[in-house]
Amino acid sequence: MDKSNYRDMWVHVEHDGKAVHPVSLELLCEIRKLCDQSGDALVAVVPGDVTESEQEKLLACGADKLILVSGTGYERYNTEAYSNLYTVLSRKYRPSAVFVGATVNGRDFAPHFAANLETGCTSDATELIYNPETKDIEFVEPAAGGKIMAVITIPVLRPQVGTIRPGTFKCVPTGKKEHVEIIREEVSFDPAAIRTRLLGYVANEFDPELDIANCETIVCVGSPVKEESLPKYRELAALLGGKLACTRPVVDRELLPYKLQVGQSGVMVKPKLYIGFGVSGAVNHVTGVDAEKFIAVNKDPAAPIFNYCDYGIVGDMDEVCDAMLAALKA
Ligand SMILES: Cc1cc2nc3c(=O)[nH]c(=O)nc-3n(C[C@H](O)[C@H](O)[C@H](O)COP(=O)(O)OP(=O)(O)OC[C@H]3O[C@@H](n4cnc5c(N)ncnc54)[C@H](O)[C@@H]3O)c2cc1C
């Protein structure tokens, strides 16, 4: 395969017909930086209809082109039509890379169309680097239980397909380009060939206590937390105007729900303040924390978490929590 025949980087735009999913905007902003280095155009691919004001948001993230795709098969999400769309368009335009938000839908169709195209798909990278010598994208992510940072490339095949978790990158729009190209494509998929049927729709109940992705303060408890101590960490979080979160072992013990798990396989958080109590500092956890101020409380002075924090407190987590509560109440 001659890689020079493949150019431009695509971002799949996920939307519900009204609003674009934030992960698509995050990806556009991050991939803009790679395109500036590689000389590729940044292309936002939009299956189905989005309003003009939502299209403006895509352009504000620096997209050079929009491909607006109409046709049958997109009325509701399904693997076949979405996978077919990227298979057909990738064969026609030959993008160098296609990035898809690692939402439930994105995780479903991205590897599917990558397999159709007989190319590679990597998931959950926490950093993307463009290598100007090889012209490959380096997908960096924790591996082997967080002991190493693996650099994954797709050195021979194109396009390079990657799914990226929501919240991995920041949405910092660089502004609309002076010249933008709008391309309209029609790719129809026979609805009768869709193998799944919609039986009903139940919206996910929104519980603001479980929405830790966008909160400013996070009090995070690690594996040693006792069930009876949870209320005081919750109280501390509330006094600081924030929310309680946890590490994976706390979810595994079923003390707190998965939606409160911070980290590589949980939620990526960007709070102003993060306080970790009894958190060891495993890469799989800290890779999900991008905090302005990071405080760690651990009884082991050699705990790895102290390599990441701005302030470290060596001591018993419950005692330190009690002291913080007393100080705040005073
Ligand atoms: C593919 C993969 C994905 C993963 N994804 C995630 C993820 O998304 N999020 C996540 O959190 N983990 C994730 N993990 C697990 C991760 O590798 C760690 O095992 C986990 O983060 C450790 O949690 P912990 O720090 O709470 O527990 P531990 O590693 O058990 O650390 C507990 C810490 O508490 C300290 N301590 C003990 N008692 C006290 C006390 N009384 N007072 C103060 N300190 C005390 C100890 O010194 C220790 O440092 C993942 C692992 C893999 C393999």
Side-chain angles (χ1 to χ4, degrees):
M1 177 176 280
D2 183 354
K3 293 196 283 193
S4 64
N5 288 335
Y6 292 76
R7 58 179 71 89
D8 297 347
M9 298 196 198
W10 289 11
V11 171
H12 163 67
V13 177
E14 181 164 337
H15 63 89
D16 59 7
K18 295 181 199 117
V20 167
H21 194 293
V23 71
S24 306
L25 302 175
E26 292 161 10
L27 281 178
L28 281 168
C29 291
E30 189 65 21
I31 307 307
R32 177 69 265 164
K33 296 181 213 161
L34 298 190
C35 288
D36 289 343
Q37 292 163 30
S38 69
D40 286 295
L42 174 62
V43 183
V45 182
V46 189
D49 291 328
V50 284
T51 61
E52 277 188 22
S53 64
E54 290 300 294
Q55 289 179 26
E56 284 302 316
K57 284 188 195 164
L58 306 174
L59 295 174
C61 294
D64 298 296
K65 296 182 193 175
L66 295 188
I67 302 183
L68 305 176
V69 189
S70 60
T72 53
Y74 311 112
E75 290 71 24
R76 63 172 176 88
Y77 174 74
N78 65 90
T79 321
E80 292 93 336
Y82 278 73
S83 177
N84 177 64
L85 180 153
Y86 279 95
T87 306
V88 170
L89 291 185
S90 297
R91 285 192 178 131
K92 177 170 177 185
Y93 289 98
R94 299 184 170 206
S96 166
V98 183
F99 295 92
V100 179
T103 60
V104 174
N105 296 350
R107 280 173 182 276
D108 178 54
F109 79 86
H112 199 281
F113 81 80
N116 281 349
L117 295 168
E118 298 184 341
T119 185
C121 176
T122 96
S123 56
D124 295 347
T126 52
E127 192 184 354
L128 300 169
I129 300 167
Y130 173 72
N131 183 328
E133 278 166 31
T134 60
K135 312 224 181 301
D136 295 331
I137 291 160
E138 297 177 349
F139 297 78
V140 186
E141 61 184 78
K147 290 188 180 60
I148 57 164
M149 293 303 281
V151 179
I152 301 168
T153 57
I154 303 170
V156 179
L157 301 167
R158 290 292 184 265
Q160 305 158 90
V161 181
T163 61
I164 310 288
R165 295 177 80 84
T168 302
F169 300 119
K170 287 193 169 126
C171 176
V172 186
T174 45
K176 187 171 174 176
K177 294 277 168 191
E178 205 176 321
H179 302 289
V180 270
E181 192 181 343
I182 311 272
I183 300 168
R184 293 182 195 278
E185 279 286 347
E186 194 194 323
V187 183
S188 284
F189 190 81
D190 178 6
I194 298 171
R195 286 176 294 172
T196 50
R197 298 277 168 269
L198 182 66
L199 301 179
Y201 177 77
V202 181
N204 212 351
E205 263 179 46
F206 180 72
D207 179 348
E209 274 310 302
L210 301 184
D211 180 26
I212 56 170
N214 301 307
C215 73
E216 294 197 341
T217 299
I218 284 189
V219 170
C220 185
V221 289
S223 71
V225 71
K226 298 181 212 91
E227 188 169 6
E228 62 273 20
S229 298
L230 281 175
K232 68 177 163 200
Y233 291 99
R234 207 171 262 123
E235 186 185 4
L236 179 65
L239 280 172
L240 293 168
K243 285 174 191 162
L244 183 66
C246 64
T247 60
R248 188 153 108 174
V250 181
V251 176
D252 293 343
R253 282 168 59 203
E254 298 185 355
L255 284 184
L256 290 172
Y258 167 68
K259 281 192 174 178
L260 295 185
Q261 178 186 313
V262 171
Q264 185 196 4
S265 57
V267 184
M268 313 292 265
V269 296
K270 301 186 187 71
K272 286 192 175 150
L273 173 65
Y274 166 100
I275 315 179
F277 288 91
V279 175
S280 60
V283 176
N284 308 103
H285 178 78
V286 291
T287 206
V289 185
D290 178 8
E292 283 177 29
K293 278 281 171 284
F294 193 132
I295 300 176
V297 181
N298 197 300
K299 70 176 185 183
D300 176 6
I305 191 104
F306 291 127
N307 296 325
Y308 298 97
C309 65
D310 298 298
Y311 301 99
I313 302 170
V314 179
D316 177 76
M317 57 192 283
D318 280 353
E319 285 175 18
V320 176
C321 180
D322 289 339
M324 285 185 179
L325 281 171
L328 281 167
K329 284 175 185 169

